[in-house]
Amino acid sequence: MTDAAGRRANAPLRRRLRASGIRVAPFQTAAWQAGVSGQSGLVVAPTGSGKTLAALGASIIEAQAQGDPRGLRLLWITPLRALAADIQRQISAIAVGMGLDWRVLRRTGDSGATERARVARGACEVVVTTPESLSLLLSHASHAERFQLLQCVVVDEWHELLGNKRGVLLQLALARIRALRPALRIWGLSATLGNAGIAMRHLLGVRHDGVLIQSPARRPMHLATALPAITQRFPWGGHLGLSQLPRVLDAVLGARSTLVFTNTRSQAEFWHQALAAVWPDGVDEIAIHHGSLARIERERVEAALAAGSLRCVVATSSLDLGVDFSPVDLVVQIGSPRSVARLLQRAGRSGHQPGARSRLLLVPTHNLEIAECG
């Protein structure tokens, strides 16, 4: 498809989004045009700038052109179960807004028996899953029939999988699906990749060309560090950082809603207990979220945070990817984030929408981290 034909194909989608008050970014239209042309690629854009819609647009255009056909057409891979649930909600809402009768199912460790059976029968147009669950789907004897209509695979937060065992598992799964569907489109999404060209080659394979789409926009960010008083004794080791509790409490109470990130589940438990012990209002305004909690509890916290009924949630990496919590206006990082990419990713949970400013408070837990966070 030529560039002019690609622009004509995505024109109805642009008009419909603009009529709904959604501003379409140039990188989104570039991704739609490349997608309807049958190309694969990688989209690198700031957190909250609309990468989901960029990756979804080509599938919407195809469905509208083909009369909204039945059968699995889109496979969406996420690294986290919480992100899978959020992506399922987003895709369902976008499909309804575009007039598509898509059945969007989730196949993760949190999925119930009924939903897993529907995925196994192929009774859906979109499946949101994780690398591990995708490998299980490919182990079924009927997997070739299940993917016979598949047109596109989207790998969300590719930087989180790149270079580790989960990423290798996913690459093997994609190679198998591509053997079944040679014309398959594969798109990766990320907000923090620095070596985007190399990352795209790892995603698509050296034998397949792709389109690299990068948004020039930068997210405005307000970064601060909670420093101890000059007269205060501050430890040279340890990782809990509870001596910083008064400063964290002041910051949290000064915001409408806050995500407090820790690096371990035990640290999250300690900080949740400490904040709850000194919380001046009802303790139902504060909650905890990590991967060891039961699914029903995690989903309750996610729903309450999205609804704006929680003032503070203490979390591990279970909430630092992709989840769309626009009410959150402050992120607190307890201890070293251990990488700039993770720092930017977690900061992006604040003001998670195009043009909004991210607010991040770094909280060192010992003297060596003061130098790192400063």
Side-chain angles (χ1 to χ4, degrees):
M1 182 179 294
T2 64
D3 290 348
R7 286 192 294 271
R8 287 195 299 271
N10 65 50
L13 177 58
R14 293 200 309 269
R15 287 195 296 268
R16 191 154 189 171
L17 290 172
R18 287 168 181 166
S20 302
I22 300 175
R23 183 178 178 182
V24 179
F27 82 91
Q28 292 174 323
T29 56
W32 301 342
Q33 184 173 333
V36 296
S37 300
Q39 296 175 293
S40 299
L42 176 67
V43 175
V44 181
T47 300
S49 60
K51 293 189 297 298
T52 299
L53 188 55
L56 195 59
S59 296
I60 292 174
I61 294 167
E62 289 176 338
Q64 291 174 332
Q66 297 167 5
D68 196 9
R70 287 310 199 187
L72 178 60
R73 301 302 174 108
L74 175 63
L75 190 62
W76 199 287
I77 315 297
T78 75
L80 292 178
R81 290 175 294 181
L83 179 53
D86 184 68
I87 288 295
Q88 183 185 28
R89 289 191 293 267
Q90 287 189 54
I91 295 177
S92 298
I94 293 172
V96 170
M98 294 297 107
L100 297 174
D101 186 22
W102 278 358
R103 297 164 295 177
V104 184
L105 299 181
R106 184 175 19 146
R107 177 59 171 91
T108 69
D110 286 341
S111 300
T114 301
E115 192 168 25
R116 293 185 187 189
R118 291 180 64 193
V119 172
R121 294 196 308 268
C124 57
E125 284 65 56
V126 183
V127 170
V128 183
T129 187
T130 60
E132 293 79 8
S133 293
L134 175 59
S135 295
L136 290 176
L137 288 174
L138 289 172
S139 69
H140 294 178
S142 60
H143 72 273
E145 179 182 354
R146 182 180 300 114
F147 294 122
Q148 64 180 345
L149 299 177
L150 186 66
Q151 296 174 328
C152 181
V153 175
V154 176
V155 181
D156 212 347
E157 309 292 358
W158 173 231
H159 64 273
E160 188 71 15
L161 298 169
L162 182 63
N164 57 41
K165 293 179 180 179
R166 300 183 73 207
V168 173
L169 180 68
L170 176 58
Q171 288 172 297
L172 293 172
L174 292 178
R176 174 56 184 157
I177 298 174
R178 188 164 243 164
L180 298 171
R181 299 284 296 164
L184 181 73
R185 301 192 311 271
I186 299 176
W187 282 87
L189 306 178
S190 180
T192 60
L193 279 171
N195 53 347
I198 297 175
M200 184 174 68
R201 287 197 296 272
H202 279 282
L203 175 65
L204 304 182
V206 294
R207 297 182 180 179
H208 300 276
D209 296 327
V211 179
L212 178 59
I213 298 174
Q214 294 180 286
S215 171
R218 300 285 183 180
R219 284 291 300 276
M221 182 184 302
H222 180 269
L223 180 64
T225 303
L227 296 174
I230 296 177
T231 57
Q232 177 184 347
R233 287 191 62 185
F234 206 58
W236 284 97
H239 71 284
L240 292 180
L242 291 177
S243 61
Q244 293 274 51
L245 179 61
R247 296 172 187 85
V248 172
L249 181 64
D250 288 343
V252 171
L253 293 178
R256 291 174 301 172
S257 55
T258 305
L259 283 176
V260 178
F261 282 110
T262 66
N263 293 325
T264 65
R265 294 172 184 176
S266 60
Q267 190 181 26
E269 294 284 354
F270 277 111
W271 269 94
H272 175 251
Q273 293 175 12
L275 284 169
V278 296
W279 195 256
D281 300 316
V283 293
D284 56 343
E285 294 182 344
I286 183 171
I288 186 171
H289 189 288
H290 57 68
S292 293
L293 296 174
R295 182 191 69 177
I296 189 171
E297 178 62 19
R298 285 185 278 111
E299 291 180 346
R300 183 194 68 80
V301 173
E302 293 162 17
L305 185 56
S309 59
L310 287 175
R311 291 282 305 279
C312 176
V313 174
V314 184
T316 59
S317 58
S318 59
L319 283 184
D320 71 356
L321 292 175
V323 185
D324 188 8
F325 294 139
S326 54
V328 174
D329 61 359
L330 175 66
V331 168
V332 176
Q333 169 64 44
I334 305 294
S336 168
R338 299 176 182 171
S339 75
V340 174
R342 172 164 288 183
L343 176 68
L344 294 174
Q345 187 71 46
R346 290 183 170 179
R349 300 304 99 213
S350 167
H352 190 69
Q353 53 192 354
R357 177 183 294 273
S358 297
R359 294 178 55 209
L360 175 67
L361 177 66
L362 291 172
V363 182
T365 62
H366 54 75
N367 276 311
L368 295 178
E369 285 186 343
I370 291 179
E372 184 175 348
C373 295

